[in-house]
């Protein structure tokens, strides 16, 4: 069973997915993380995707489908959280073709205002070693530029720079927002207020997931 976590870049999908994994027995599948791994390893997919990701644009659907197939597995009973997929209606339709093994139970939209999204994304910093995330204002590392958890270098993701953020938000409006309507028409859409701290948002999300 799949829970799709959807919402604009910076809405907190990855953060909420991590808390759900820790507390509720889900496995997380983040297409952004999978792509970043390919880039780091320098695979064919990574070579193709790296520049596209830096610009904040979408990687082609056929590449995403390969990643999805490889990561989803064949375990019918598994509770899966999809973070970052589908990002357009064609991807949602592709996902629906896998419904026999992996039916979508609900698509949760983490709803956050545009001002808040820009502030979250432009202030976000990540550890290049372990992937821990920080924010320059609300959650900085104890020592500037050094990860509290592993001592790795804490840097800004190339696609969190202002120009790429503008592209990503635009891509979201044009390509991903229609996915919300797609799931609403199927009766699978739920909106959760994504404003506030991670714990507060998790409280709202958990109530909804528990009711499934
Ligand atoms: P994320 O970490 O989810 O914000 O994804 C980072 C980047 O990876 C996006 O800006 C896209 O370039 C690419 N990406 C991730 N998921 C997808 C997807 N489902 N379709 C196309 N591109 C994707």
């Amino acid at each position: 069973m799949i829970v799709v976590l959807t919402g604009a870049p910076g809405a907190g999908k990855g953060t909420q997915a991590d808390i759900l994994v820790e507390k509720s027995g889900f496995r997380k599948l983040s297409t952004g993380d999978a792509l970043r791994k390919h880039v780091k390893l320098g695979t064919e997919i990574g070579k193709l995707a790296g520049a596209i990701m830096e610009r904040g644009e979408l990687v082609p659907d056929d590449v995403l489908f390969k990643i999805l197939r490889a990561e989803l597995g064949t375990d019918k009973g598994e509770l899966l959280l999809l973070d970052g997929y589908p990002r357009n209606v064609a991807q949602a339709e592709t996902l629906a073709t896998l419904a026999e093994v992996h039916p979508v139970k609900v698509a949760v939209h983490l709803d956050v205002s545009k001002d808040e999204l820009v502030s979250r994304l432009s202030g976000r910093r990540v550890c290049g070693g372990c992937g821990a995330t920080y924010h320059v204002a609300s959650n900085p590392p104890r020592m500037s530029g050094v990860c509290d958890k592993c001592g790795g270098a804490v840097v800004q993701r190339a696609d969190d720079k202002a120009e790429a953020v503008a592209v990503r938000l635009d891509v979201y409006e044009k390509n991903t927002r229609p996915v919300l309507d797609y799931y609403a028409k199927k009766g699978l859409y739920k909106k959760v207020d994504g404003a506030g701290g991670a714990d507060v948002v998790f409280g709202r999300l958990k109530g909804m997931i528990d009711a499934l």
Side-chain angles (χ1 to χ4, degrees), residues 20-54:
L20 272 167
V21 166
E22 202 185 302
K23 302 200 171 163
S24 310
F26 280 87
R27 178 164 74 88
K28 165 176 142 174
L29 198 176
S30 157
T31 48
D33 285 352
L35 283 165
R36 279 184 286 276
K37 208 186 303 167
H38 276 281
V39 173
K40 210 169 177 175
L41 294 173
T43 66
E44 284 307 310
I45 286 181
K47 282 180 204 147
L48 177 104
I52 299 174
M53 291 169 75
E54 279 204 15

Side-chain angles (χ1 to χ4, degrees), residues 97-180:
T97 66
L98 307 175
E100 206 175 302
V101 180
H102 296 296
V104 173
K105 181 79 179 170
V106 66
V108 182
H109 173 203
L110 283 176
D111 190 32
V112 175
S113 73
K114 190 166 176 198
D115 284 352
E116 174 77 18
L117 293 171
V118 171
S119 141
R120 286 187 190 179
L121 290 170
S122 56
R124 178 162 68 179
R125 299 291 182 270
V126 294
C127 172
C130 71
T133 58
Y134 298 91
H135 189 278
V136 284
S138 58
N139 177 32
R142 282 193 294 274
M143 200 193 296
S144 176
V146 182
C147 180
D148 294 348
K149 294 185 179 140
C150 76
V154 172
V155 295
Q156 185 174 41
R157 255 169 61 172
D159 62 351
D160 281 344
K161 299 203 166 122
E163 210 171 291
V165 165
V167 173
R168 288 163 74 201
L169 292 175
D170 200 42
V171 164
Y172 172 76
E173 285 303 327
K174 289 203 184 99
N175 298 273
T176 312
R177 199 173 272 285
V179 172
L180 309 182

